[in-house]
Amino acid sequence: DWSNVHYLTRPDLSQQEKQWFKEAYKSPYKLYPPEKFLLKRGGNVVVEYVRVPVGTTRRQMIEKSFEAPEDEKDIAPFDLKKQWAWANKVLFGPQRDMKNYPSYVDPGTVPRPEIVHKFVPRSLFDAMVPYSGVTGFYVLSVGGVFALVGKGVIVSTYALSYFFYFGIAWAFTKLPPVRRFLDNRVPQLTNRLNEMYYVGPIQQKKDHISACIAAAQQTKDMIQQLPKLYDVQIENVDLQLENNYRDRLKQAFTEVKSRLDCQVALAATKAELEKDYMIDWITNQVVQNITPDLEKKNIQSCLAQLQTLSKSAKI
Amino acid sequence: MGNALNNTNLGGFPKEYNPRIHGAYQADRFYGTPDKPFSSLKVNEVFQWLNRRDMSLTGIARFYSRKLYSHQRRYHLSAGSKGVGFVHFALFFSFLGFIRAYKHDRHLDDGKYH
Protein backbone atom coordinates (compact mmCIF):
# COMPACT_ATOMS: atom_id res chain seq x y z
CA ASP A 1 0.00 0.00 0.00
CA TRP A 2 1.93 3.02 -1.24
CA SER A 3 -0.84 5.59 -0.77
CA ASN A 4 0.01 6.28 2.88
CA VAL A 5 3.75 6.80 2.73
CA HIS A 6 4.76 9.56 5.11
CA TYR A 7 8.05 11.36 5.46
CA LEU A 8 9.56 11.44 8.91
CA THR A 9 12.79 13.12 9.91
CA ARG A 10 15.31 11.60 12.28
CA PRO A 11 18.77 12.82 13.29
CA ASP A 12 21.43 11.66 10.87
CA LEU A 13 24.10 9.98 12.96
CA SER A 14 27.12 8.40 11.38
CA GLN A 15 28.52 5.10 12.60
CA GLN A 16 31.16 6.97 14.59
CA GLU A 17 28.54 9.04 16.37
CA LYS A 18 26.49 5.96 17.23
CA GLN A 19 29.59 4.25 18.59
CA TRP A 20 30.38 7.33 20.69
CA PHE A 21 26.83 7.37 22.08
CA LYS A 22 27.05 3.71 23.05
CA GLU A 23 30.33 4.26 24.86
CA ALA A 24 29.15 7.48 26.53
CA TYR A 25 25.94 5.88 27.78
CA LYS A 26 27.86 3.11 29.52
CA SER A 27 30.79 5.15 30.87
CA PRO A 28 30.52 7.81 33.60
CA TYR A 29 33.61 9.66 32.41
CA LYS A 30 32.84 10.46 28.77
CA LEU A 31 31.02 13.76 28.87
CA TYR A 32 31.15 16.01 25.81
CA PRO A 33 31.23 14.87 22.21
CA PRO A 34 34.18 15.84 20.02
CA GLU A 35 33.85 18.78 17.67
CA LYS A 36 33.27 16.66 14.60
CA PHE A 37 29.84 15.68 15.87
CA LEU A 38 28.60 19.25 15.90
CA LEU A 39 25.33 20.28 14.32
CA LYS A 40 25.14 20.81 10.60
CA ARG A 41 23.24 23.61 8.91
CA GLY A 42 19.56 22.81 8.65
CA GLY A 43 19.88 20.26 11.44
CA ASN A 44 21.19 16.74 11.49
CA VAL A 45 18.15 15.27 9.79
CA VAL A 46 17.59 12.68 7.16
CA VAL A 47 14.32 11.95 5.46
CA GLU A 48 13.14 8.42 6.15
CA TYR A 49 10.25 6.64 4.53
CA VAL A 50 7.94 4.82 6.94
CA ARG A 51 4.94 2.76 5.95
CA VAL A 52 1.94 3.22 8.17
CA PRO A 53 -1.49 1.67 7.93
CA VAL A 54 -4.55 3.47 6.62
CA GLY A 55 -6.29 5.48 9.31
CA THR A 56 -3.18 6.67 11.18
CA THR A 57 -3.88 10.00 12.83
CA ARG A 58 -1.46 12.88 12.90
CA ARG A 59 -0.92 12.46 16.63
CA GLN A 60 0.08 8.85 16.09
CA MET A 61 2.50 9.88 13.34
CA ILE A 62 4.09 12.51 15.61
CA GLU A 63 4.42 10.00 18.44
CA LYS A 64 5.95 7.51 16.04
CA SER A 65 8.53 10.05 14.94
CA PHE A 66 9.77 10.25 18.54
CA GLU A 67 10.69 6.56 18.46
CA ALA A 68 14.30 5.66 17.78
CA PRO A 69 15.08 3.64 14.63
CA GLU A 70 15.78 -0.07 14.99
CA ASP A 71 19.57 0.18 14.86
CA GLU A 72 19.59 2.79 17.63
CA LYS A 73 17.17 1.16 20.06
CA ASP A 74 19.99 -0.57 21.94
CA ILE A 75 21.95 2.66 22.48
CA ALA A 76 19.54 3.99 25.06
CA PRO A 77 16.47 1.89 25.92
CA PHE A 78 14.32 4.93 26.51
CA ASP A 79 10.70 5.33 25.43
CA LEU A 80 9.58 8.92 25.44
CA LYS A 81 5.96 8.00 24.91
CA LYS A 82 5.89 5.77 27.97
CA GLN A 83 7.75 8.31 30.09
CA TRP A 84 5.32 11.09 29.19
CA ALA A 85 2.31 8.88 29.85
CA TRP A 86 3.65 7.80 33.25
CA ALA A 87 4.54 11.39 34.20
CA ASN A 88 1.09 12.62 33.22
CA LYS A 89 -0.57 9.86 35.21
CA VAL A 90 1.45 10.57 38.36
CA LEU A 91 1.75 14.35 38.32
CA PHE A 92 -1.63 15.28 36.85
CA GLY A 93 -3.81 12.51 38.24
CA PRO A 94 -7.06 12.81 40.23
CA GLN A 95 -5.34 13.53 43.57
CA ARG A 96 -3.43 16.53 42.26
CA ASP A 97 -3.92 19.70 44.31
CA MET A 98 -3.67 22.45 41.72
CA LYS A 99 -4.93 25.20 44.02
CA ASN A 100 -2.18 25.11 46.67
CA TYR A 101 0.57 23.57 44.53
CA PRO A 102 0.23 24.94 40.97
CA SER A 103 2.36 23.59 38.14
CA TYR A 104 5.92 24.60 37.42
CA VAL A 105 6.60 28.16 36.27
CA ASP A 106 9.86 28.96 34.44
CA PRO A 107 11.55 31.61 36.64
CA GLY A 108 13.09 33.21 33.57
CA THR A 109 9.65 34.26 32.38
CA VAL A 110 8.72 35.99 35.64
CA PRO A 111 9.85 39.61 36.04
CA ARG A 112 12.01 40.57 38.95
CA PRO A 113 10.23 42.03 42.00
CA GLU A 114 10.44 45.76 42.35
CA ILE A 115 13.62 47.05 43.89
CA VAL A 116 14.50 50.39 45.42
CA HIS A 117 18.09 51.66 45.53
CA LYS A 118 19.49 48.65 43.71
CA PHE A 119 19.04 45.96 46.39
CA VAL A 120 16.16 46.87 48.75
CA PRO A 121 12.88 45.08 47.90
CA ARG A 122 9.88 47.30 47.55
CA SER A 123 7.78 44.99 49.75
CA LEU A 124 10.03 45.77 52.74
CA PHE A 125 9.96 49.45 51.88
CA ASP A 126 6.17 49.58 51.68
CA ALA A 127 5.67 47.51 54.85
CA MET A 128 7.53 50.16 56.84
CA VAL A 129 5.47 53.10 55.54
CA PRO A 130 2.40 52.62 57.81
CA TYR A 131 4.71 52.37 60.86
CA SER A 132 7.29 55.06 60.17
CA GLY A 133 6.19 57.01 57.13
CA VAL A 134 7.85 57.49 53.78
CA THR A 135 11.28 58.32 55.23
CA GLY A 136 11.20 55.49 57.74
CA PHE A 137 13.56 53.19 55.87
CA TYR A 138 16.11 55.94 55.30
CA VAL A 139 15.97 57.11 58.92
CA LEU A 140 16.31 53.56 60.18
CA SER A 141 19.23 52.67 57.92
CA VAL A 142 21.28 55.85 58.11
CA GLY A 143 20.37 56.75 61.64
CA GLY A 144 20.87 53.18 62.72
CA VAL A 145 24.38 53.14 61.30
CA PHE A 146 25.28 56.37 63.06
CA ALA A 147 23.71 55.12 66.31
CA LEU A 148 25.70 51.90 66.19
CA VAL A 149 28.89 53.83 65.48
CA GLY A 150 28.16 56.09 68.43
CA LYS A 151 27.45 53.16 70.74
CA GLY A 152 30.62 51.40 69.63
CA VAL A 153 28.98 48.37 67.92
CA ILE A 154 30.48 49.44 64.62
CA VAL A 155 33.95 50.43 65.75
CA SER A 156 35.21 53.77 64.46
CA THR A 157 38.64 52.90 63.12
CA TYR A 158 40.76 55.05 60.83
CA ALA A 159 39.12 53.34 57.80
CA LEU A 160 35.41 53.89 58.69
CA SER A 161 35.36 57.41 57.25
CA TYR A 162 36.21 56.01 53.84
CA PHE A 163 32.83 54.22 53.79
CA PHE A 164 31.05 57.54 54.33
CA TYR A 165 33.04 59.23 51.56
CA PHE A 166 31.40 56.84 49.07
CA GLY A 167 27.95 57.90 50.32
CA ILE A 168 28.84 61.57 50.08
CA ALA A 169 30.16 61.13 46.55
CA TRP A 170 26.99 59.28 45.56
CA ALA A 171 24.83 62.08 46.99
CA PHE A 172 27.02 64.63 45.19
CA THR A 173 26.40 62.90 41.85
CA LYS A 174 22.65 63.12 42.48
CA LEU A 175 22.75 66.95 42.41
CA PRO A 176 21.14 68.16 39.14
CA PRO A 177 24.05 70.15 37.65
CA VAL A 178 26.48 67.31 38.42
CA ARG A 179 23.96 64.79 37.07
CA ARG A 180 23.55 66.75 33.86
CA PHE A 181 27.30 67.06 33.33
CA LEU A 182 27.87 63.36 34.01
CA ASP A 183 25.04 62.29 31.70
CA ASN A 184 26.81 64.16 28.91
CA ARG A 185 30.43 63.37 29.68
CA VAL A 186 30.34 59.70 30.68
CA PRO A 187 28.68 58.46 27.48
CA GLN A 188 31.08 60.63 25.49
CA LEU A 189 34.11 59.00 27.11
CA THR A 190 32.66 55.50 26.98
CA ASN A 191 31.81 55.90 23.29
CA ARG A 192 35.32 57.11 22.62
CA LEU A 193 36.81 54.08 24.39
CA ASN A 194 34.35 51.77 22.67
CA GLU A 195 35.26 53.11 19.23
CA MET A 196 38.97 52.95 20.00
CA TYR A 197 39.14 49.46 21.43
CA TYR A 198 36.12 47.61 20.06
CA VAL A 199 34.49 49.15 17.00
CA GLY A 200 37.75 50.45 15.46
CA PRO A 201 39.69 47.17 15.39
CA ILE A 202 36.66 45.27 14.10
CA GLN A 203 36.12 47.82 11.31
CA GLN A 204 39.84 47.72 10.46
CA LYS A 205 39.68 43.98 10.11
CA LYS A 206 36.54 44.16 7.99
CA ASP A 207 38.13 46.75 5.70
CA HIS A 208 41.30 44.68 5.44
CA ILE A 209 39.24 41.63 4.54
CA SER A 210 37.28 43.59 1.93
CA ALA A 211 40.52 44.86 0.43
CA CYS A 212 41.93 41.33 0.33
CA ILE A 213 38.75 40.08 -1.33
CA ALA A 214 38.92 42.88 -3.92
CA ALA A 215 42.58 42.14 -4.62
CA ALA A 216 41.82 38.45 -5.00
CA GLN A 217 38.93 39.23 -7.34
CA GLN A 218 41.21 41.52 -9.35
CA THR A 219 43.81 38.77 -9.58
CA LYS A 220 41.11 36.34 -10.72
CA ASP A 221 39.98 38.75 -13.44
CA MET A 222 43.57 39.27 -14.57
CA ILE A 223 44.04 35.52 -14.79
CA GLN A 224 40.88 35.35 -16.92
CA GLN A 225 42.43 37.84 -19.37
CA LEU A 226 45.83 36.07 -19.63
CA PRO A 227 44.91 34.04 -22.76
CA LYS A 228 44.59 37.34 -24.61
CA LEU A 229 48.14 38.20 -23.60
CA TYR A 230 49.39 34.86 -24.84
CA ASP A 231 47.65 35.42 -28.19
CA VAL A 232 49.26 38.85 -28.46
CA GLN A 233 52.70 37.42 -27.73
CA ILE A 234 52.23 34.69 -30.32
CA GLU A 235 51.07 37.28 -32.85
CA ASN A 236 54.15 39.36 -32.06
CA VAL A 237 56.43 36.46 -32.84
CA ASP A 238 54.47 35.71 -36.00
CA LEU A 239 54.95 39.31 -37.14
CA GLN A 240 58.68 39.11 -36.54
CA LEU A 241 58.87 35.89 -38.54
CA GLU A 242 56.87 37.49 -41.35
CA ASN A 243 59.28 40.43 -41.28
CA ASN A 244 62.26 38.12 -41.59
CA TYR A 245 60.58 36.21 -44.38
CA ARG A 246 59.84 39.37 -46.31
CA ASP A 247 63.41 40.60 -45.85
CA ARG A 248 64.79 37.37 -47.15
CA LEU A 249 62.34 37.35 -50.02
CA LYS A 250 63.40 40.88 -50.99
CA GLN A 251 67.04 39.91 -50.69
CA ALA A 252 66.52 36.90 -52.94
CA PHE A 253 64.60 38.99 -55.47
CA THR A 254 67.28 41.68 -55.55
CA GLU A 255 70.08 39.15 -55.98
CA VAL A 256 68.30 37.36 -58.79
CA LYS A 257 67.36 40.65 -60.41
CA SER A 258 70.94 41.94 -60.23
CA ARG A 259 72.25 38.80 -61.90
CA LEU A 260 69.63 39.03 -64.61
CA ASP A 261 70.37 42.78 -65.09
CA CYS A 262 74.00 41.90 -65.47
CA GLN A 263 73.16 39.37 -68.19
CA VAL A 264 70.88 41.90 -69.91
CA ALA A 265 73.54 44.60 -69.72
CA LEU A 266 76.13 42.24 -71.11
CA ALA A 267 73.91 41.28 -74.03
CA ALA A 268 73.02 44.90 -74.71
CA THR A 269 76.61 45.97 -74.55
CA LYS A 270 77.61 43.22 -76.91
CA ALA A 271 74.83 44.14 -79.36
CA GLU A 272 75.72 47.82 -79.19
CA LEU A 273 79.35 47.02 -79.80
CA GLU A 274 78.48 44.92 -82.80
CA LYS A 275 76.23 47.64 -84.10
CA ASP A 276 78.78 50.37 -83.68
CA TYR A 277 81.54 48.27 -85.18
CA MET A 278 79.38 47.37 -88.14
CA ILE A 279 78.31 50.98 -88.69
CA ASP A 280 81.88 52.15 -88.43
CA TRP A 281 83.14 49.48 -90.76
CA ILE A 282 80.41 50.13 -93.31
CA THR A 283 80.93 53.85 -93.27
CA ASN A 284 84.68 53.46 -93.41
CA GLN A 285 84.31 51.17 -96.44
CA VAL A 286 81.95 53.61 -98.11
CA VAL A 287 84.20 56.53 -97.38
CA GLN A 288 87.18 54.63 -98.66
CA ASN A 289 85.31 54.00 -101.88
CA ILE A 290 84.40 57.59 -102.40
CA THR A 291 86.51 59.09 -105.36
CA PRO A 292 87.01 62.85 -105.85
CA ASP A 293 85.12 62.56 -109.09
CA LEU A 294 82.08 61.10 -107.35
CA GLU A 295 82.27 63.70 -104.66
CA LYS A 296 82.18 66.51 -107.17
CA LYS A 297 79.17 65.06 -108.90
CA ASN A 298 77.35 64.71 -105.53
CA ILE A 299 77.93 68.36 -104.65
CA GLN A 300 76.68 69.52 -108.04
CA SER A 301 73.55 67.50 -107.77
CA CYS A 302 72.91 68.93 -104.27
CA LEU A 303 73.28 72.50 -105.54
CA ALA A 304 70.87 71.84 -108.39
CA GLN A 305 68.32 70.47 -105.93
CA LEU A 306 68.73 73.51 -103.74
CA GLN A 307 68.08 75.79 -106.67
CA THR A 308 64.90 74.06 -107.61
CA LEU A 309 63.78 74.12 -104.00
CA SER A 310 64.56 77.78 -103.58
CA LYS A 311 62.23 78.59 -106.43
CA SER A 312 59.25 76.96 -104.70
CA ALA A 313 60.13 78.17 -101.19
CA LYS A 314 58.16 80.92 -99.44
CA ILE A 315 60.32 83.29 -97.48
CA MET B 1 25.62 -0.99 62.98
CA GLY B 2 25.32 -0.51 59.25
CA ASN B 3 21.65 -1.47 59.60
CA ALA B 4 20.99 1.84 61.38
CA LEU B 5 21.04 3.49 57.97
CA ASN B 6 18.24 1.31 56.61
CA ASN B 7 15.37 3.47 57.79
CA THR B 8 17.05 6.84 57.28
CA ASN B 9 16.20 9.26 54.53
CA LEU B 10 19.58 10.60 53.40
CA GLY B 11 19.42 12.64 50.22
CA GLY B 12 15.75 11.85 49.56
CA PHE B 13 12.56 13.82 49.31
CA PRO B 14 10.73 14.77 52.52
CA LYS B 15 8.37 12.10 53.86
CA GLU B 16 5.34 14.38 53.35
CA TYR B 17 6.07 14.88 49.66
CA ASN B 18 3.73 12.99 47.33
CA PRO B 19 4.06 13.71 43.61
CA ARG B 20 0.47 12.62 43.01
CA ILE B 21 -0.75 15.44 45.25
CA HIS B 22 2.00 18.05 45.03
CA GLY B 23 3.17 17.54 41.45
CA ALA B 24 6.79 17.99 40.40
CA TYR B 25 9.19 18.65 43.28
CA GLN B 26 10.22 22.27 43.73
CA ALA B 27 12.96 22.97 46.26
CA ASP B 28 11.57 26.34 47.30
CA ARG B 29 8.18 25.02 48.45
CA PHE B 30 7.22 23.63 51.87
CA TYR B 31 5.40 20.26 51.61
CA GLY B 32 4.47 19.75 55.28
CA THR B 33 1.21 20.57 57.03
CA PRO B 34 0.19 24.15 56.19
CA ASP B 35 0.57 26.58 59.08
CA LYS B 36 0.09 30.28 59.71
CA PRO B 37 2.75 32.52 58.19
CA PHE B 38 5.22 34.01 60.67
CA SER B 39 4.31 37.64 59.82
CA SER B 40 0.67 37.12 60.87
CA LEU B 41 1.44 35.78 64.37
CA LYS B 42 0.75 37.46 67.64
CA VAL B 43 3.56 37.54 70.21
CA ASN B 44 1.97 34.93 72.49
CA GLU B 45 1.61 32.45 69.60
CA VAL B 46 5.27 32.51 68.59
CA PHE B 47 6.50 29.75 70.95
CA GLN B 48 3.58 27.45 70.09
CA TRP B 49 4.30 28.01 66.44
CA LEU B 50 8.00 27.24 66.92
CA ASN B 51 7.18 24.05 68.83
CA ARG B 52 5.13 22.84 65.86
CA ARG B 53 8.11 23.35 63.56
CA ASP B 54 10.67 20.66 62.79
CA MET B 55 13.70 21.82 64.80
CA SER B 56 15.93 18.87 64.01
CA LEU B 57 19.13 19.26 62.03
CA THR B 58 17.49 18.07 58.83
CA GLY B 59 14.57 20.41 59.42
CA ILE B 60 16.84 23.40 59.86
CA ALA B 61 18.85 22.40 56.81
CA ARG B 62 15.63 22.10 54.77
CA PHE B 63 14.52 25.54 55.96
CA TYR B 64 17.86 27.07 54.97
CA SER B 65 17.83 25.36 51.57
CA ARG B 66 14.22 26.40 50.93
CA LYS B 67 14.99 30.01 51.71
CA LEU B 68 18.06 29.95 49.46
CA TYR B 69 16.11 28.49 46.55
CA SER B 70 13.20 30.90 46.96
CA HIS B 71 15.51 33.90 47.13
CA GLN B 72 17.34 32.61 44.05
CA ARG B 73 14.08 32.10 42.15
CA ARG B 74 12.78 35.54 43.06
CA TYR B 75 15.87 37.70 42.64
CA HIS B 76 18.44 35.77 40.63
CA LEU B 77 16.62 33.69 38.02
CA SER B 78 13.91 36.26 37.25
CA ALA B 79 13.94 38.33 34.08
CA GLY B 80 15.89 41.59 34.36
CA SER B 81 17.56 40.73 37.64
CA LYS B 82 20.82 42.52 36.83
CA GLY B 83 22.96 41.17 39.65
CA VAL B 84 20.65 41.80 42.59
CA GLY B 85 21.06 38.18 43.71
CA PHE B 86 24.81 38.60 43.83
CA VAL B 87 24.42 41.82 45.86
CA HIS B 88 22.17 40.17 48.45
CA PHE B 89 24.57 37.22 48.68
CA ALA B 90 27.49 39.58 49.25
CA LEU B 91 25.60 41.61 51.87
CA PHE B 92 24.59 38.48 53.79
CA PHE B 93 28.16 37.22 53.95
CA SER B 94 29.40 40.69 54.80
CA PHE B 95 27.07 40.62 57.81
CA LEU B 96 28.45 37.23 58.82
CA GLY B 97 31.93 38.65 58.48
CA PHE B 98 30.92 41.56 60.69
CA ILE B 99 29.71 39.10 63.32
CA ARG B 100 32.91 37.08 63.03
CA ALA B 101 35.04 40.21 63.36
CA TYR B 102 32.97 41.73 66.19
CA LYS B 103 35.60 41.03 68.83
CA HIS B 104 38.46 42.20 66.64
CA ASP B 105 38.43 45.91 67.52
CA ARG B 106 36.62 45.92 70.89
CA HIS B 107 39.70 47.47 72.50
CA LEU B 108 39.01 50.68 70.52
CA ASP B 109 35.43 51.36 71.75
CA ASP B 110 36.71 52.94 74.93
CA GLY B 111 34.51 56.04 74.85
CA LYS B 112 33.54 56.68 78.44
CA TYR B 113 30.14 58.36 77.90
CA HIS B 114 28.57 56.37 75.06
Side-chain angles (χ1 to χ4, degrees):
Chain A
D1 178 65
W2 285 97
S3 60
N4 271 23
V5 174
H6 297 279
Y7 306 102
L8 303 179
T9 57
R10 293 218 181 94
D12 179 19
L13 301 178
S14 63
Q15 278 303 114
Q16 288 170 331
E17 282 174 317
K18 288 178 190 171
Q19 191 60 34
W20 178 84
F21 269 123
K22 281 184 191 166
E23 288 165 17
Y25 186 73
K26 285 175 182 122
S27 136
Y29 302 111
K30 269 188 187 289
L31 288 175
Y32 301 108
E35 270 185 36
K36 54 185 175 178
F37 296 156
L38 290 174
L39 289 171
K40 300 180 190 74
R41 210 190 296 185
N44 290 16
V45 293
V46 71
V47 175
E48 190 178 323
Y49 296 93
V50 172
R51 289 176 59 149
V52 294
V54 175
T56 313
T57 60
R58 277 181 208 172
R59 196 193 167 81
Q60 287 170 0
M61 279 194 247
I62 288 161
E63 284 171 6
K64 201 173 178 63
S65 75
F66 278 108
E67 277 178 24
E70 289 300 322
D71 58 343
E72 289 175 22
K73 274 196 156 64
D74 61 336
I75 290 167
F78 169 75
D79 195 353
L80 193 67
K81 226 171 27 174
K82 251 200 276 180
Q83 298 275 337
W84 274 98
W86 175 245
N88 265 334
K89 197 175 153 194
V90 169
L91 297 171
F92 297 100
Q95 302 174 31
R96 179 64 196 275
D97 184 3
M98 276 298 207
K99 205 159 79 66
N100 297 323
Y101 300 94
S103 46
Y104 178 76
V105 171
D106 185 6
T109 57
V110 173
R112 182 195 68 177
E114 273 198 61
I115 281 190
V116 183
H117 294 308
K118 288 195 174 69
F119 65 88
V120 177
R122 187 141 200 110
S123 52
L124 177 68
F125 207 85
D126 294 339
M128 292 180 71
V129 167
Y131 293 94
S132 52
V134 172
T135 56
F137 181 78
Y138 299 103
V139 169
L140 183 65
S141 56
V142 175
V145 166
F146 285 130
L148 292 172
V149 173
K151 286 285 171 199
V153 177
I154 296 169
V155 175
S156 172
T157 55
Y158 73 96
L160 185 72
S161 51
Y162 292 98
F163 285 96
F164 297 128
Y165 297 157
F166 280 105
I168 291 158
W170 173 82
F172 180 70
T173 57
K174 288 219 156 234
L175 292 170
V178 180
R179 188 78 259 163
R180 269 181 272 132
F181 168 73
L182 287 173
D183 288 338
N184 289 334
R185 188 85 178 121
V186 167
Q188 201 183 23
L189 294 168
T190 50
N191 289 339
R192 221 188 281 173
L193 282 170
N194 189 39
E195 281 162 22
M196 204 156 66
Y197 289 111
Y198 181 72
V199 174
I202 288 167
Q203 195 59 40
Q204 277 172 24
K205 272 136 183 93
K206 279 187 185 174
D207 296 339
H208 176 60
I209 286 162
S210 309
C212 291
I213 289 163
Q217 187 63 36
Q218 198 181 11
T219 313
K220 266 181 81 172
D221 295 338
M222 281 160 75
I223 288 161
Q224 291 288 320
Q225 303 300 321
L226 271 176
K228 288 186 190 168
L229 181 70
Y230 302 147
D231 294 338
V232 163
Q233 286 171 347
I234 288 160
E235 198 180 336
N236 209 358
V237 170
D238 290 341
L239 287 169
Q240 286 177 35
L241 290 170
E242 182 77 14
N243 202 17
N244 290 353
Y245 168 72
R246 286 186 188 185
D247 285 342
R248 277 187 257 111
L249 193 66
K250 185 179 174 188
Q251 193 183 3
F253 177 77
T254 47
E255 296 259 317
V256 166
K257 187 160 186 300
S258 65
R259 281 169 178 74
L260 291 172
D261 287 343
C262 182
Q263 294 288 325
V264 162
L266 275 171
T269 311
K270 195 172 171 188
E272 194 184 341
L273 182 73
E274 285 174 356
K275 181 173 124 186
D276 289 344
Y277 189 79
M278 190 178 280
I279 288 167
D280 288 341
W281 189 76
I282 289 166
T283 50
N284 286 339
Q285 288 287 320
V286 165
V287 166
Q288 274 174 17
N289 291 341
I290 292 172
T291 57
D293 192 29
L294 193 63
E295 201 174 343
K296 209 185 267 182
K297 284 187 181 167
N298 196 10
I299 289 166
Q300 282 174 359
S301 69
C302 290
L303 283 170
Q305 282 177 6
L306 280 169
Q307 277 177 351
T308 53
L309 282 170
S310 66
K311 284 176 186 168
S312 66
K314 293 176 188 171
I315 297 167
Chain B
M1 242 163 62
N3 296 330
L5 297 169
N6 284 345
N7 294 331
T8 51
N9 187 20
L10 295 171
F13 291 130
K15 275 278 183 289
E16 306 88 5
Y17 170 70
N18 188 356
R20 290 167 203 274
I21 299 167
H22 304 129
Y25 185 76
Q26 293 178 32
D28 50 340
R29 299 204 65 108
F30 178 65
Y31 291 107
T33 51
D35 207 345
K36 280 208 259 180
F38 189 78
S39 51
S40 75
L41 287 179
K42 303 265 187 313
V43 174
N44 56 357
E45 294 168 2
V46 169
F47 282 115
Q48 298 163 25
W49 187 89
L50 283 172
N51 286 333
R52 273 178 265 141
R53 297 284 101 199
D54 179 9
M55 283 302 186
S56 62
L57 190 67
T58 54
I60 290 165
R62 275 177 192 152
F63 168 76
Y64 190 71
S65 148
R66 255 185 285 128
K67 285 291 154 194
L68 261 178
Y69 272 109
S70 64
H71 176 267
Q72 192 188 47
R73 176 180 272 262
R74 243 187 298 170
Y75 292 104
H76 198 68
L77 301 175
S78 50
S81 59
K82 282 188 185 156
V84 173
F86 292 115
V87 172
H88 289 171
F89 191 77
L91 284 173
F92 178 69
F93 281 97
S94 302
F95 182 64
L96 293 183
F98 171 79
I99 290 165
R100 187 176 167 206
Y102 187 77
K103 289 284 185 188
H104 191 268
D105 289 325
R106 288 298 119 208
H107 58 278
L108 298 174
D109 59 348
D110 52 6
K112 195 171 160 189
Y113 297 108
H114 276 272

